[in-house]
Amino acid sequence: VDRPDLDRAWMSEALSRAAAAATRSGQGASTAVVALARGDSALIGWLGDSRAGVIDPASRTLCWLTEDHHAVSVTGQPALSRWLGFTGDPDNPLHTPSLIEHTLRPGELLMLCSDGVHSALADEELIELMRESVSIDDLDATAAWVCDTAIERGSTDNCTCLLIAPTHATDPHNTWMETNSCSSDRAEPRKEPDHA
């Protein structure tokens, strides 16, 4: 529905429903990052330390758009300050998601990923992976390679990567292409794509 004025309300509601569903199912809590794309703009919502960032393989730059919801626990260790799930406070049962809007420039990719990816791969490694492998025709292979590389680097958490690129489609309601891959449930990493 073409109602950009309602996008923020819809995204907040969607994340709240997901949090309530997780609580009802007894699955505890999780982190989340989501994007709603319109044209070359994206509204991004998140809770926790799953991230959204913009990568420009040509200029070798990575800019994280989100800030992790982290705090220091009573033991002095880092801990999540917001998450998708029940807060434990009956008066405020769900955390409020953070929202940000971003407009992509030509050549940029929007990347959504879990902390299993960004905690295992330095920014420079992510940029290099994109520079070596990204192809508008094969974003799925690139996303899978990112996940597999994070696993090879010793990630012990869920590895999920979603890449989104604006296209030049003639249909104004279909101007984004997106592909994703989650490879943390595979024992063997995928082979690196052939970049001939």
Side-chain angles (χ1 to χ4, degrees):
V1 179
D2 192 16
R3 288 294 304 275
D5 56 311
L6 297 178
D7 285 352
R8 285 177 170 262
W10 284 344
M11 181 170 284
S12 293
E13 177 66 14
L15 287 166
S16 293
R17 287 181 184 221
T23 301
R24 284 194 306 272
S25 69
Q27 296 299 313
S30 182
T31 67
V33 60
V34 296
L36 173 61
R38 291 183 184 275
D40 58 356
S41 297
L43 173 65
I44 298 157
W46 78 99
L47 286 157
D49 54 5
S50 289
R51 293 182 182 177
V54 172
I55 293 182
D56 186 340
S59 64
R60 299 188 180 189
T61 57
L62 166 58
C63 175
W64 292 113
L65 302 175
T66 58
E67 293 184 13
D68 297 346
H69 291 140
H70 275 170
V72 178
S73 70
V74 293
T75 62
Q77 299 299 313
L80 291 178
S81 58
R82 292 193 222 174
W83 54 86
L84 190 73
F86 186 57
T87 64
D89 180 355
D91 295 326
N92 297 288
L94 302 175
H95 290 287
T96 302
S98 293
L99 303 177
I100 189 172
E101 295 180 57
H102 184 78
T103 301
L104 266 76
R105 295 176 294 201
E108 291 183 334
L109 294 172
L110 179 63
M111 179 177 70
L112 310 182
C113 68
S114 62
D115 59 318
V117 169
H118 68 73
S119 65
L121 299 173
D123 291 2
E124 294 76 16
E125 291 178 289
L126 283 167
I127 294 168
E128 191 63 20
L129 283 170
M130 294 293 169
R131 191 188 69 78
E132 289 181 4
S133 66
V134 73
S135 165
I136 292 303
D137 295 326
D138 204 0
L139 288 181
D140 187 62
T142 301
W145 195 19
V146 168
C147 291
D148 292 338
T149 304
I151 293 168
E152 290 171 1
R153 296 286 193 279
S155 178
T156 57
D157 209 335
N158 170 273
C159 292
T160 305
C161 180
L162 172 73
L163 296 175
I164 305 174
T167 64
H168 301 291
T170 56
D171 179 358
H173 299 293
N174 185 29
T175 56
W176 286 71
M177 175 179 67
E178 57 180 296
T179 56
N180 69 343
S181 173
C182 176
S183 61
S184 62
D185 58 347
R186 291 201 301 268
E188 293 297 325
R190 289 175 54 152
K191 291 177 61 178
E192 295 180 1
D194 183 9
H195 308 292

